[in-house]
Amino acid sequence: MNKQKALLPITTLAMTFAFAVWAVFSPLASTFQEMYGLTSTQKSILVAIPVLLGSIMRIPLGIWTDRFGGRQLFSLLLLFLIIPLVGAGFADSYAMLMFWAFFIGMAGTSFAISVTFVSRLTPPEKQGTALGINAMGNIGTAVASFSVPSIAAAFGVKWAFWGMMIPVVIMLLLVWFFTPDMPKPKQQKTMLESLSVLKYKHTWTLSLFYFVTFGAFVAFGIYLPSLLIDLYGLTPVDAGLRAAGFTVIATLARPIGGNLGDKIGAERVLTFVYAGITIGALAIAFGMENIIVMTAACLFIAIMSGLGNGAVFKLVPQLFPAETGAVTGIVGAWGGLGGFFPPILLGMVKDATGSYMLGFILLSLFALICFLLNRTVFGKKAGKTAKTYVS
């Protein structure tokens, strides 16, 4: 087998199953709420906890992948995931579920590893297409949404975790034996040197942008099953399938966002994206009692968040051509954190007010801020070079 040709399909598939592990608690949240008598806030924290570690650890994992190699880091990650999956299957309390959920969060770092791995071994003229395909591994959250409830219903909750070990082990073997080694970097930067990109204002601007677009993708992907069950009394399987639809649409829209960024400019794409999320979030806030309005608004936000994710990562190499890896890790981390806070906030808002309305109004306000910031920072600079931005 040509290892170079096998790199993209194997890493994309490996990230898909890693993301499925990352989202494994989401479709089971309502089941655990009934088992342990959890409040909406406690259920939300259980769903969000894996997102926390998976987001923060993207920064060092991206840097270490550049230093030690993608094949080694990806294999080590997949091997590690077996431990919390075994533990979660044996958990018999909310506290133990929380403990294992935290470590299952490491699955989210697969994004930083995979993107760095693929970009380092892909010619510059093909990187955009390759990274667009690779990022479709995000669809793993949809895999979890439609498969986990069915596995739990057929074989028990424990096997929802233990069953995940089968594809993880298969991908571990494929990554280790059938992907190439990365070339050693000519100059190895220290962690502090790699993080020096934090001094640029556009690192923070892109982080906020991705906090909203990828945050919406993650938050809807992991919390939508619980939300639909709570609002409309759907079964976990039905709610999981609907949430999977959101994830699939958002994932398919991502490479389109990158392609539109190439053609008309990522800044223009983001103008429409943040205007769309602002409107879509308001539609949910004031129309969530109607499942048709809710469905239409959620699917619209899925398209907008997917387009936005692609457009933001079109800007990363454009603004930081010499420091793409470090900025990718930082921006990716903030995007993951954007998916951590909303589920907890929605749970707290529901417990405090009896409604989710305020949570979606806040999403609308965040999107409006990004819309205004994008117009202020990039609106008049679309024709200038990347070097002009990073100054």
Side-chain angles (χ1 to χ4, degrees), residues 16 19-20 135-144 146 217 244 247-248 251-252:
T16 298
F19 263 64
M136 293 181 71
N138 293 340
I139 207 169
T141 55
V143 173
F146 68 72
F217 169 80
T247 303
V248 169
T251 301
L252 294 177

Side-chain angles (χ1 to χ4, degrees), residues 127-369:
Q127 280 183 348
T129 301
L131 292 177
I133 295 171
N134 188 240
M136 293 181 71
N138 293 340
I139 207 169
T141 55
V143 173
S145 293
F146 68 72
S147 65
V148 168
S150 299
I151 294 171
F155 304 104
V157 172
K158 294 182 177 182
W159 280 100
F161 298 104
W162 295 343
M164 283 286 181
M165 292 190 294
I166 298 172
V168 167
V169 170
I170 292 172
M171 296 319 304
L172 166 61
L173 296 173
L174 289 176
V175 169
W176 181 256
F177 289 108
F178 299 107
T179 61
D181 286 314
M182 284 171 48
K184 295 291 182 182
K186 295 179 181 179
Q187 181 183 2
Q188 289 194 352
K189 293 184 177 181
T190 65
M191 185 72 72
L192 193 60
E193 289 172 335
S194 297
L195 294 176
S196 65
V197 294
L198 290 170
K199 67 185 179 184
Y200 298 125
K201 65 179 181 180
H202 292 301
T203 303
W204 296 100
T205 301
L206 296 181
S207 294
L208 176 61
F209 286 177
Y210 206 56
F211 182 88
V212 173
T213 58
F214 190 73
F217 169 80
V218 173
F220 273 83
I222 66 175
Y223 199 69
L224 202 52
S226 296
L227 192 64
L228 294 175
I229 291 170
D230 191 23
L231 288 175
Y232 311 114
L234 303 181
T235 65
V237 173
D238 188 7
L241 288 172
R242 291 170 186 264
F246 176 96
T247 303
V248 169
I249 290 173
T251 301
L252 294 177
R254 181 167 184 146
I256 298 174
N259 184 257
L260 287 173
D262 284 334
K263 292 181 177 179
I264 66 173
E267 305 86 353
R268 292 177 182 173
V269 176
L270 291 175
T271 296
F272 291 103
V273 163
Y274 293 121
I277 294 177
T278 301
I279 295 168
L282 287 176
I284 293 176
F286 294 100
M288 70 177 73
E289 292 182 2
N290 186 315
I291 192 170
I292 296 176
V293 173
M294 178 71 169
T295 300
C298 284
L299 294 180
F300 181 66
I301 288 180
I303 295 170
M304 291 297 103
S305 64
L307 293 175
N309 291 337
V312 170
F313 266 92
K314 160 64 180 174
L315 281 173
V316 171
Q318 179 181 329
L319 300 179
F320 299 92
E323 296 154 318
T324 302
V327 177
T328 294
I330 294 167
V331 173
W334 276 103
L337 288 174
F340 170 72
F341 293 106
I344 297 176
L345 178 64
L346 285 172
M348 293 174 66
V349 166
K350 178 63 188 307
D351 282 338
T353 67
S355 170
Y356 294 105
M357 180 186 292
L358 180 59
F360 289 101
I361 290 175
L362 289 174
L363 171 60
S364 179
L365 289 175
F366 264 98
L368 180 60
I369 291 170

